[in-house]
Amino acid sequence: MTDSDIDEMGPVDYLVIEFPADRPPDGSALPLLRDLVERGIIRVLDLAFVRKDPDGSVAGIDIAEVGLEGEIDVTLFAEAASGLLGDTDFEEAGAALEPGCSAAVLVYENTWAAPFARALRRNGAQLVASGRIPVQSILSSLDALGSEI
């Protein structure tokens, strides 16, 4: 990837999605992910899976070993590997997991925001902070507001 490619990119985010030890992922979210890609909203840069064993050790697992079911061809995402994720990232993802659980690690570009980001960069602006508010926090805040009324 060249510097000019990077200048054209939208913001890049990552997610670590934990699956319970007693319920492996069923693949029901993959068609929704594919839809986001096909509509140009995001571009999947990396999709990898890790498992945290009961003893706390973390290992990467092949997408075919995850046990996904459903109508979507899981190999569609098997080739999403930009090289951004490394062993340290998998260890950090594993640290967030409960023992016995597995997780998907997704790195994606927000292609919908690329024109906005390009315009800001061309004018010398730079992103100095970013964050995400968990839905649970919003719901808690709304519940608290509701009890005060």
Side-chain angles (χ1 to χ4, degrees):
M1 193 173 286
T2 67
D3 286 345
S4 65
D5 292 335
I6 292 170
D7 286 342
E8 297 298 312
M9 287 182 72
V12 175
D13 288 327
Y14 74 92
L15 301 172
V16 177
I17 305 147
E18 181 181 73
F19 301 105
D22 63 343
R23 242 183 1 206
D26 64 4
S28 60
L30 287 176
L32 300 170
L33 181 61
R34 181 180 62 192
D35 181 59
L36 292 170
V37 171
E38 288 175 351
R39 291 190 294 142
I41 295 171
I42 67 167
R43 176 172 58 132
V44 174
L45 301 174
D46 283 290
L47 177 60
F49 291 86
V50 296
R51 179 180 10 252
K52 185 172 190 175
D53 292 328
D55 68 2
S57 61
V58 177
I61 53 178
D62 187 84
I63 193 168
E65 296 175 36
V66 175
L68 299 172
E69 299 173 1
E71 298 176 18
I72 192 166
D73 180 11
V74 296
T75 59
L76 174 69
F77 295 107
E79 296 177 7
S82 69
L84 292 174
L85 291 175
D87 291 340
T88 303
D89 300 305
F90 296 133
E91 288 297 325
E92 287 181 20
L97 299 178
E98 292 294 321
C101 293
S102 60
V105 181
L106 174 66
V107 178
Y108 61 96
E109 175 193 2
N110 292 283
T111 51
W112 62 269
F116 177 66
R118 279 192 304 268
L120 291 172
R121 283 191 294 264
R122 286 185 182 128
N123 286 313
Q126 64 181 349
L127 181 64
V128 295
S130 112
R132 180 150 297 168
I133 302 171
V135 172
Q136 296 86 344
S137 295
I138 293 171
L139 294 175
S140 294
S141 294
L142 291 174
D143 285 345
L145 286 173
S147 65
E148 293 176 10
I149 298 177

